[in-house]
Amino acid sequence: MKPRLLGLLALLAALGGCASAPATRPPPTMAANPVVAHRVSVAWLPPTVSRFAPTIEAASYRHGVDANLLAIVILVESGGDPYAQSPAGAKGLMQLMPATAADVASRRGIVGHNELRLLDPAYNIDLGAWYLARQIERFWTGQPDATVDQAAAAYNGGPGRLARNEPMPLETQSYVRWVGGMWRERHLPYSDTFGGWMRAGGDRLVSRATTAPIPPLLTAGGPFLANDT
C-alpha cells in the first residue's frame, strides 16, 4: 500500500463515511477505528443511481471516498444519466468538464484517455471520485459535515474560487445545500432534502435517466487500470 493511501486511513473514522487525506495531520484519536462506508446504503436513492452501486463501491474502495457521498453527488449532478451533458460541456454521471477530466487522467498516468470515455460510467465515476477526494483533502475542516460542504463547493464552483474565498454563484450555493443536506440525511428512511431537490427540478433529471440506456462501454470496455493504484 502506498504512503498516500496510508495517510487516507487517518481520516476514515472521523468522516464516518467520507474520507481522504487532510491537509494537516489529524489528532491520533481519529485513526483509532479507521472505518468508512464502502457500500451504498441510502434507502431513498432512486434506481437510476443505485443501479451503479457496484461501480460506485469500487471507486469508494479505490479512492477512500464514502460510497454514499459519491452516490449523492451522482444524483445531484446527473440524476443517474450516463449521457448527461450540461450547457457548459460537463459530461456523464459526475458531470466532469473535459479539461478537468483530461487533467485528472494526466496526473494519474492513465493511458488512452479521451472525451468519449466520459460516457463510460465506470471511467466517469472513477475520475470523479479521485477529483472529489482531492477536494476533501484540500478543504478538510476537521469536521466531516463541514468538509463535505466545502468539497461540494469546490467540486461545483471550482477549488480556486473557494481557496481565494470568493463568493460562490447561486448555483453552487444551491448545490452545496442539496449535497450537504442529503449527506446529513443519508441514514434516514426518507430525506426531506431529496424531496425538495426533486420538486426543484431533480425529477426531470431522474426522469431522463430512467429512459437512458447504460452505455455498452460499461461492459464492452472492461476494467481500466491507472498507475496510481
Side-chain angles (χ1 to χ4, degrees):
M1 182 177 292
K2 288 189 177 182
R4 180 166 68 85
L5 293 182
L6 291 173
L8 291 177
L9 294 177
L11 281 184
L12 298 180
L15 287 171
C18 172
S20 183
T24 58
R25 186 180 298 278
T29 53
M30 283 188 178
N33 182 29
V35 175
V36 64
H38 290 305
R39 298 294 180 189
V40 177
S41 58
V42 180
W44 39 265
L45 199 66
T48 55
V49 176
S50 62
R51 62 180 173 172
F52 296 110
T55 306
I56 293 168
E57 290 162 1
S60 169
Y61 274 108
R62 187 178 178 88
H63 301 298
V65 180
D66 183 85
N68 293 314
L69 178 59
L70 288 175
I72 289 167
V73 169
I74 289 169
L75 173 64
V76 177
E77 288 286 354
S78 68
D81 179 3
Y83 293 102
Q85 179 166 324
S86 75
K91 297 181 184 297
L93 289 173
M94 296 192 72
Q95 287 293 275
L96 298 175
M97 291 297 291
T100 299
D103 179 65
V104 170
S106 175
R107 290 169 66 183
R108 294 177 59 194
I110 296 175
V111 178
H113 170 79
N114 61 70
E115 195 171 318
L116 180 62
R117 295 189 72 186
L118 296 180
L119 299 182
D120 178 358
Y123 191 73
N124 190 287
I125 291 172
D126 191 87
L127 264 62
W130 186 93
Y131 184 71
L132 182 59
R134 301 289 73 74
Q135 308 319 310
I136 294 169
E137 177 182 74
R138 181 175 180 180
F139 297 106
W140 170 252
T141 69
Q143 298 294 328
D145 289 350
T147 298
V148 166
D149 289 345
Q150 290 286 93
Y155 190 93
N156 181 266
R161 179 180 289 166
L162 184 62
R164 292 188 297 269
N165 201 30
E166 296 177 1
M168 285 293 179
L170 292 178
E171 175 190 345
T172 299
Q173 295 176 36
S174 296
Y175 181 86
V176 172
R177 185 171 69 252
W178 297 134
V179 171
M182 291 187 208
W183 164 256
R184 290 164 176 79
E185 296 166 357
R186 66 195 183 280
H187 297 311
L188 299 179
Y190 177 79
S191 165
D192 288 332
T193 306
F194 170 67
W197 175 79
M198 287 287 282
R199 291 188 295 273
D203 58 339
R204 293 192 294 273
L205 285 179
V206 172
S207 178
R208 284 197 295 268
T210 300
T211 59
I214 299 178
L217 289 174
L218 178 62
T219 54
F224 70 92
L225 299 176
N227 295 333
D228 64 340
T229 52

